[in-house]
Amino acid sequence: MDLDYSEIFAQASIETKPSEDIEGFLGEKRKIIQPQSLKDPKLEKLKTFLIDWINGSLHQEHIVVKSLEEDLFDGLILHHLLARLGDVKLDVEEIALTATAQKRKLCVVMDALKQKLRLPEEAMQKWSVEQIHSRDLLATLHLLVAMAKHFKPELELPAGVSVEVLILEVSKNGIKSEKMIEYITDQGVVAEEDTSSPMDELLKLGAQKVNTVKQAILHFVNKNLFNLGLSVSSMDSQFSDGVILILLIGQLNGYFVHLNDFCFRPTTTSEMLQNVSLALELLKDQGLLQHPVAPEDIVSQDVKATLSVLYALFKKYKGRAEDS
């Protein structure tokens, strides 16, 4: 269904783009939030939180925001937020009625924000004047989160909010699309009483005991991958692209994840993140992850993150390997 969605959007993008503008559209990338992510309760919670924060910050101006997509595109709200929170006075018209005037106002606001936030260039690329003006929800969320973290660092933003996005890129050869998970807010800090996980305790035991546990898990993994003709020799590296992890989960649960649902030979970080995110979702559906694990940590070969996932599987299914 997602594939149909991307094809329909891609076709619509070309059909509605005048032929003389296609050349200028080449190389452009667009991120589209997948429909199922728009229904995520965590995303709804973040949107409500930001709306309440904006309205609380601007209540003296009698400004009421009801929709992040519809109420921020013209620059008025961002202008007032910058003035109220950053004490920045801008020489711009209060209300811009035309698209040209709105974009001009947004340019001034964005330049002032760039000076105020002083974020790395990579972070600033998550939004632009065109994106905000075109009511791009993802860009708007990234911008507001950055502003909230800078001007009100004491705010406890909803943690771990992420969305699945479709990335569309137009080239002379056609339209390329790929999916990935994009985080909007940080993972957050687990409450103090919950910070200790089995892996925390294990990693305190010393290298020899850690290696003993790793060998036991490795034996368990290879037992269950035997029927697929696969084996793992390096636990630290061979799970980073998500492929073996997905296949292992399928073997343990008696099903085969269709090759169309993940990238069997990933070559990019995005493809690896897509695979690992799918594997973690499968584990969450089974209630196996007691502590959050970020896909980025698995891809970067973080030992604790990888062990946490494999230990969860080992703990539940180890009897199967022992009986076989």
Side-chain angles (χ1 to χ4, degrees):
M1 188 169 183
D2 291 337
L3 180 60
D4 293 340
Y5 176 84
S6 67
E7 289 177 347
I8 292 171
F9 182 88
Q11 187 61 38
S13 297
I14 289 185
E15 289 177 352
T16 57
K17 198 82 175 178
S19 58
E20 61 270 19
D21 291 341
I22 291 295
E23 191 68 30
F25 190 51
L26 292 176
E28 182 179 338
K29 286 188 177 181
R30 292 188 177 187
K31 287 184 179 180
I32 311 296
I33 300 178
Q34 292 283 63
Q36 65 269 25
S37 286
L38 291 172
K39 301 174 184 177
D40 190 327
K42 283 188 175 182
L43 181 62
E44 288 298 325
K45 182 179 179 181
L46 176 62
K47 291 170 66 176
T48 301
F49 182 94
L50 291 172
I51 288 174
D52 290 344
W53 168 63
I54 294 171
N55 288 335
S57 301
L58 301 180
H59 72 279
Q60 292 184 359
E61 282 90 338
H62 304 290
I63 291 175
V64 178
V65 170
K66 296 182 179 180
S67 167
L68 297 181
E69 299 97 314
E70 296 298 329
D71 294 342
L72 275 78
F73 77 96
D74 61 358
L76 175 65
I77 303 300
L78 294 174
H79 177 197
H80 278 265
L81 275 177
L82 190 54
R84 170 63 60 178
L85 301 174
D87 194 28
V88 175
K89 307 301 180 185
L90 299 177
D91 185 19
V92 292
E93 52 195 307
E94 177 68 10
I95 299 177
L97 297 177
T98 67
T100 300
Q102 291 163 357
K103 290 181 182 180
R104 183 169 59 245
K105 180 172 183 174
L106 279 171
C107 280
V108 176
V109 173
M110 292 299 185
D111 285 343
L113 275 172
K114 184 175 183 179
Q115 295 299 318
K116 203 72 178 176
L117 299 180
R118 296 189 179 279
L119 291 171
E121 191 63 32
E122 181 181 353
M124 298 293 292
Q125 291 175 355
K126 293 180 179 179
W127 60 80
S128 67
V129 169
E130 288 294 335
Q131 288 173 316
I132 300 301
H133 189 261
S134 65
R135 300 170 173 82
D136 186 306
L137 176 60
L138 184 60
T140 302
L141 288 171
H142 277 309
L143 174 58
L144 290 174
V145 166
M147 291 178 67
K149 289 168 69 175
H150 177 83
F151 292 117
K152 293 290 181 181
E154 70 277 11
L155 281 178
E156 294 186 8
L157 289 162
V161 180
S162 64
V163 292
E164 183 180 37
V165 298
L166 186 72
I167 304 176
L168 298 174
E169 182 176 6
V170 176
S171 69
K172 293 181 179 179
N173 297 323
I175 294 181
K176 177 183 177 182
S177 67
E178 63 175 314
K179 289 185 289 186
M180 66 175 288
I181 301 297
E182 180 159 341
Y183 278 86
I184 301 172
T185 62
D186 299 330
Q187 289 292 86
V189 179
V190 183
E192 185 174 344
E193 64 271 19
D194 295 328
T195 55
S196 179
S197 70
M199 287 305 104
D200 290 318
E201 300 304 317
L202 171 63
L203 294 174
K204 293 177 184 177
L205 298 179
Q208 184 174 353
K209 291 185 178 180
V210 171
N211 188 59
T212 299
V213 174
K214 289 172 71 174
Q215 290 302 315
I217 295 177
L218 196 61
H219 175 74
F220 158 79
V221 168
N222 285 326
K223 274 274 190 180
N224 285 283
L225 290 176
F226 179 78
N227 290 337
L228 296 178
L230 298 172
S231 65
V232 173
S233 58
S234 173
M235 186 183 301
D236 297 343
S237 62
Q238 285 182 261
F239 290 94
S240 63
D241 64 6
V243 175
I244 291 181
L245 186 56
I246 290 173
L247 295 174
L248 175 63
I249 293 171
Q251 282 293 105
L252 292 171
N253 287 279
Y255 60 74
F256 182 76
V257 180
H258 199 281
L259 296 181
N260 288 337
D261 294 335
F262 68 103
C263 184
F264 191 66
R265 292 185 175 85
T267 57
T268 67
T269 301
S270 293
E271 290 172 341
M272 295 178 186
L273 283 170
Q274 178 184 334
N275 284 351
V276 174
S277 297
L278 171 60
L280 294 179
E281 283 300 319
L282 293 174
L283 292 177
K284 288 178 184 177
D285 290 344
Q286 299 175 49
L288 291 184
L289 289 183
Q290 301 302 315
H291 298 267
V293 176
E296 294 87 348
D297 291 341
I298 301 292
V299 173
S300 64
Q301 302 182 21
D302 180 87
V303 175
K304 178 182 172 182
T306 305
L307 271 176
S308 295
V309 171
L310 295 176
Y311 178 77
L313 290 168
F314 174 74
K315 186 177 179 181
K316 180 173 182 179
Y317 297 105
K318 61 181 179 180
R320 180 174 304 181
E322 292 168 355
D323 295 340
S324 60

